[in-house]
Amino acid sequence: MAENTKTDMISKITDDIIRRIYALGIFAYVGEDWGQLSEDQPSVSWPCALVDINEVDYSNASRRTQQAEAILTITVADVRHYTVGAQTPGDITARENSIHGYIQAVHNVVQGQGTPDYSPPMRKSMRKSGQWAGMKAYDINYTLAFTDSQPAPVTTPVRPNLDLEIGIQ
């Protein structure tokens, strides 16, 4: 398979973003989002960051080449151990609201940090997405673009069969 196919580019992008987030050293789990948070007992450690490309729109640029605009989603999640209110001690409030610091740290290593393979991701939206009580999660969406070039198919030249017998009569 050619290196610059759409499947390989999506994997390349998600792997790159996962490495950047992992390098922060603040998450107990960083990986591809395959639905872990929708499980009854999510198979992640807390806090976690999950990365996926949920949507890609393609437009033709030329023969065998397409421009791709993708939406990269990073889910940042953590469990809450206490209810936070006006009378909650400051250290507990800070711990329970630390997810916002995680989100900012992720944003700092993703926003505007492209590579020669894809454009710098730009934040598009953020929404709360907690799937169960006690967990706080946010989906942060970024847009980015890349070029999907399909190489010309490899062909084998057709050689005519010239096994002719020529006879004189």
Side-chain angles (χ1 to χ4, degrees):
M1 185 179 279
E3 184 178 328
N4 195 24
T5 64
K6 59 186 170 246
T7 303
D8 287 339
M9 275 307 298
I10 290 171
S11 295
K12 184 182 270 190
I13 293 166
T14 55
D15 289 348
D16 179 52
I17 299 297
I18 287 168
R19 278 193 300 277
R20 288 185 203 184
I21 296 170
Y22 179 79
L24 289 170
I26 59 175
F27 292 100
Y29 181 89
V30 180
E32 186 177 356
D33 187 348
W34 44 266
Q36 300 95 312
L37 297 183
S38 59
E39 298 172 354
D40 288 337
Q41 293 194 0
S43 55
V44 298
S45 299
W46 307 103
C48 71
L50 304 173
V51 177
D52 201 3
I53 291 185
N54 292 323
E55 183 178 333
V56 182
D57 291 323
Y58 294 96
S59 61
N60 289 331
S62 66
R63 187 170 183 222
R64 297 188 189 278
T65 302
Q66 292 184 307
Q67 279 302 116
E69 292 184 16
I71 296 179
L72 168 74
T73 301
I74 302 170
T75 302
V76 176
D78 199 5
V79 293
R80 296 194 83 168
H81 301 287
Y82 302 97
T83 301
V84 175
Q87 297 171 335
T88 307
D91 59 334
I92 293 174
T93 300
R95 161 65 182 102
E96 295 303 320
N97 289 326
S98 61
I99 192 166
H100 301 292
Y102 301 146
I103 291 167
Q104 187 60 48
V106 166
H107 180 68
N108 291 344
V109 297
V110 174
Q111 173 81 8
Q113 305 294 322
T115 71
D117 295 318
Y118 62 92
S119 70
M122 296 306 221
R123 184 171 48 194
K124 178 181 178 172
S125 64
M126 183 175 88
R127 70 178 178 86
K128 189 173 180 182
S129 65
Q131 281 88 350
W132 48 271
M135 178 182 67
K136 196 168 189 178
Y138 289 88
D139 291 336
I140 306 103
N141 295 307
Y142 293 85
T143 57
L144 57 88
F146 60 91
T147 300
D148 177 22
S149 299
Q150 294 294 328
V154 176
T155 59
T156 304
V158 177
R159 307 252 188 255
N161 183 0
L162 297 177
D163 244 357
L164 300 176
E165 289 186 28
I166 300 176
I168 300 178
Q169 294 190 356

